[in-house]
């Protein structure tokens, strides 16, 4: 009897997955159709035709232009992301050892969260020139804050009993950081990353609007300046695809690394 | 037999925080000693400072006054920074909660102390496997704590301490939250494992029957502030049958006497 029940559950779950998938595809077709209507109503000068965007996508893929711009955007996002992550993770670990300093600077850090980073771009250009540096500052800062806040809150929430257990078992402070605190933080770290990673890509694209002659942001802005609306739309589609791919890669890694969490199993059906 | 661990005139109250008085004395003028290879059980009412006592012996908490001497080392008093938790792995501690690392599987939790002490090798790994088999966890090695039952988690936390073989093991009501059947099984396992190695064990419980069934000697603590209310030598021969021990004449007699002392 148990077997039948199980098969029934499984086939019901499979049916549900198929229905959801069909719905998703229908929605995509519907959205493209609305896009098509929109472009016919507004005129192609304002709203590019989806099929022409598709043709352009093929064309720039074949010419290698797409890869060049995508590579540039990914490169700058990645470097900025790594920088922001590095300091976002390191600083809470350093502050953990200095509770008084933490209490002193915490209000300043929290206040600086509210500073609109994009508004600083002109200053970054003024200070750091027109190479990678201003873009890296922008991306780095946008990544730093969500990571820092997540890790900072996570460190405060680590179960002190686990740390005592590890100390008694003979673990050094470095070992405790690596084996206990880091793992306890991973879920927090990933919730920070889920905000930070798409931000890094968007920040790179916005940086490229203003600085440089490569990257998807540059391609969008350059096309607009040439009155090439199809090109601008194509760039936007590529940008969206990029963020989606980066996000799903992150979700995959999160599932692998945090498989021990009970919630993941219980929620999956 | 020589005293391996000695507690003299121990007192504890929690320090004052801003705008608050220090807590009342939890332990005051508490003295006892533990011999090498002895299984000492400590019985006390709940909230009587038993966990605090073990925390101080394990050096994750500080005494307010008095002396805790292990071999020739004296634990620091009123100086949290000078504490040496576990005294260089000489004192193991099986806490009330299992405190397993949720992201490590059963076997990786057991291997954790060996790993952080740099003692992970084929020999110690084999030892861990033997312990896993001895407590009936075979087949569960690669499961995460949340996939194990309460009893299995308890066993994992027990052998995580046994695996690195500390000379003294403190146990804080380790079987408190388990059902009666699992509890008997685990007491039986513990006695079996203890008979193999004869470690020094300080076992805290509020259950009189458990204290008599397991120990060589039982100390009864008073209500707060804790002091020794009575001491009882238990000469029921080993190996003991944990399920039949309740009818042993010495058990019945001790039970009555300890019962009278526990307030």
């Amino acid at each position: 009897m148990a077997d039948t029940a199980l098969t029934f559950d499984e086939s019901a779950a499979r049916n549900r997955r198929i229905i959801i998938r069909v719905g998703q595809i229908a929605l995509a077709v519907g959205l493209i159709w609305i896009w098509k209507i929109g472009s016919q109503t507004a005129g192609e000068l304002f709203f590019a035709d989806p099929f022409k965007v598709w043709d352009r996508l093929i064309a720039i893929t074949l010419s290698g232009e797409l890869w060049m711009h995508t590579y540039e955007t990914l490169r700058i996002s990645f470097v900025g992301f790594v920088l922001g992550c590095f300091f976002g993770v390191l600083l809470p670990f350093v502050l953990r050892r200095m509770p008084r300093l933490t209490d002193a600077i915490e209000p300043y850090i929290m206040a600086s969260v509210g500073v609109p980073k994009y508004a600083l771009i002109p200053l970054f250009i003024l200070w750091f020139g027109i190479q990678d540096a201003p873009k890296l500052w922008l991306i780095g800062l946008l990544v730093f804050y969500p990571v820092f806040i997540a890790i900072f809150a996570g460190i405060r929430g680590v179960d002190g009993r686990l740390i005592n257990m590890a100390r008694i078992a003979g673990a050094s402070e470095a070992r405790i950081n690596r084996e206990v605190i880091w793992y306890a933080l991973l879920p927090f770290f990933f919730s920070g990353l889920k905000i930070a990673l798409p931000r890094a890509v968007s920040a790179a694209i916005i940086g490229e609007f203003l600085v440089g002659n490569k990257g998807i942001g540059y391609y969008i802005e350059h096309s607009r300046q040439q009155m090439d609306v199809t090109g601008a739309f194509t760039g936007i589609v590529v940008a969206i695809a990029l963020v989606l791919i980066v996000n799903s890669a992150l979700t995959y890694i999160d599932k692998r690394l945090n498989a021990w969490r009970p919630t993941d199993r219980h929620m999956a059906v | 037999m020589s005293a391996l661990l000695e507690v003299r005139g121990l007192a504890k109250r929690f320090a004052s925080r801003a705008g608050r008085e220090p807590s009342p004395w939890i332990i005051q003028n508490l003295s006892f000693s533990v011999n090498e290879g002895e299984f000492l059980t400590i019985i006390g009412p709940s909230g009587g400072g038993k966990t605090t006592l073990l925390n101080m012996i394990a050096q994750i908490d500080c005494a307010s006054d008095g002396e805790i001497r292990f071999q020739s080392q004296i634990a620091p008093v009123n100086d949290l920074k000078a504490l040496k938790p576990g005294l260089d792995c000489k004192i193991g501690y099986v806490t009330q909660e299992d405190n397993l690392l949720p992201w490590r599987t059963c076997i990786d939790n057991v291997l954790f102390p060996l790993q952080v002490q740099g003692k992970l090798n084929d020999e110690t790994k084999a030892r861990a496997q033997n312990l896993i088999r001895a407590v009936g966890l075979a087949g569960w090695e690669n499961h995460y704590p949340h996939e194990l039952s309460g009893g299995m988690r308890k066993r994992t936390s027990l052998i995580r301490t046994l695996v690195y073989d500390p000379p003294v093991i403190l146990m804080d009501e380790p079987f408190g939250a388990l059902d009666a059947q699992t509890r008997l099984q685990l007491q039986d396992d513990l006695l079996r494992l203890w008979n193999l190695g004869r470690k020094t064990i300080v076992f805290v419980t509020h259950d009189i029957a458990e204290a008599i069934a397991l120990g060589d000697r039982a100390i009864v603590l008073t209500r707060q502030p804790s002091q020794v209310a009575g001491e009882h030598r238990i000469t029921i021969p080993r190996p003991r049958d944990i399920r039949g021990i309740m009818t042993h004449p010495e058990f019945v007699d001790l039970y009555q006497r300890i019962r009278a002392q526990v307030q």
Side-chain angles (χ1 to χ4, degrees), chain B residues 112-142:
Chain B
F112 177 77
L114 297 172
Q115 202 183 331
V116 295
Q117 291 169 23
K119 288 200 233 153
L120 202 59
N121 54 41
D122 288 345
E123 193 190 325
T124 53
K125 273 187 198 160
R127 186 182 155 79
Q129 282 298 342
N130 284 338
L131 282 168
I132 285 206
R133 270 195 298 276
V135 295
L137 278 172
W140 292 96
E141 293 95 331
N142 296 319

Side-chain angles (χ1 to χ4, degrees), chain B residues 6-12 25 27-32 56 63-68 77 226-228:
Chain B
E6 209 165 354
V7 174
R8 284 277 156 266
L10 186 70
K12 173 70 183 178
W25 291 98
I27 295 169
Q28 215 167 23
N29 199 20
L30 177 68
S31 302
F32 66 91
M56 287 188 287
S64 307
D65 197 9
E67 189 179 289
I68 300 171
V77 174
S226 282
Q227 281 178 315
V228 175

